[in-house]
């Protein structure tokens, strides 16, 4: 799984989006319960502006680890970029169970 994670990052930095997607699919097959894999794939979808796919991965990441902040922040960014819906971003951030994270706090402030 670590090797696949590394390949995902390399392909993204190189702008090889199809290769990054393929590497993520392989990562998901190897480790379907990886919070990091789901969150990283959500970020890739956000970069590609595949907003619905990003939302699904954010939900999957939150289901895997609801106490981690990254997915909430990615989800809030997704809603803002998708259609500017601050109410959806705010609702997602408010659903986080008392998460203490500078990234989470920053997204929360952006959506107030």
């Amino acid at each position: 799984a670590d090797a696949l994670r590394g390949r995902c990052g390399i392909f993204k930095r190189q702008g090889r989006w199809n290769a990054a997607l393929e590497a993520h699919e392989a990562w998901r097959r190897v480790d379907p319960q990886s919070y990091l894999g789901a969150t990283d794939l959500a970020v890739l979808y956000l970069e590609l502006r595949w907003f619905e796919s990003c939302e699904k991965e954010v939900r999957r990441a939150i289901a895997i680890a609801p106490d981690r902040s990254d997915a909430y922040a990615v989800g809030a960014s997704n809603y803002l970029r998708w259609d500017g819906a601050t109410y959806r971003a705010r609702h997602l951030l408010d659903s986080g169970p008392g998460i203490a994270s500078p990234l989470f706090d920053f997204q929360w402030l952006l959506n107030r």
Side-chain angles (χ1 to χ4, degrees), residues 8-100:
C8 293
I10 290 167
F11 293 145
K12 281 179 18 177
R13 285 189 295 278
Q14 292 174 338
R16 297 173 57 195
W17 306 112
N18 288 333
L21 286 168
E22 290 172 11
H24 270 289
E25 289 169 10
W27 185 0
R28 187 186 308 190
R29 285 191 300 274
V30 170
D31 190 3
Q33 289 301 309
S34 170
Y35 169 80
L36 188 56
T39 305
D40 198 52
L41 182 54
V43 170
L44 177 60
Y45 286 147
L46 182 59
E47 290 170 347
L48 293 171
R49 303 181 65 81
W50 295 5
F51 302 118
E52 290 180 37
S53 297
C54 179
E55 181 181 42
K56 288 177 186 174
E57 282 305 304
V58 164
R59 291 179 190 273
R60 189 169 79 86
I62 290 171
I64 293 168
D67 58 330
R68 304 264 318 259
S69 64
D70 316 34
Y72 293 94
V74 172
S77 292
N78 184 52
Y79 289 137
L80 292 175
R81 293 181 189 178
W82 189 348
D83 58 9
T86 58
Y87 69 92
R88 290 196 303 168
R90 199 170 27 248
H91 178 73
L92 177 65
L93 293 171
D94 287 343
S95 72
I99 296 169

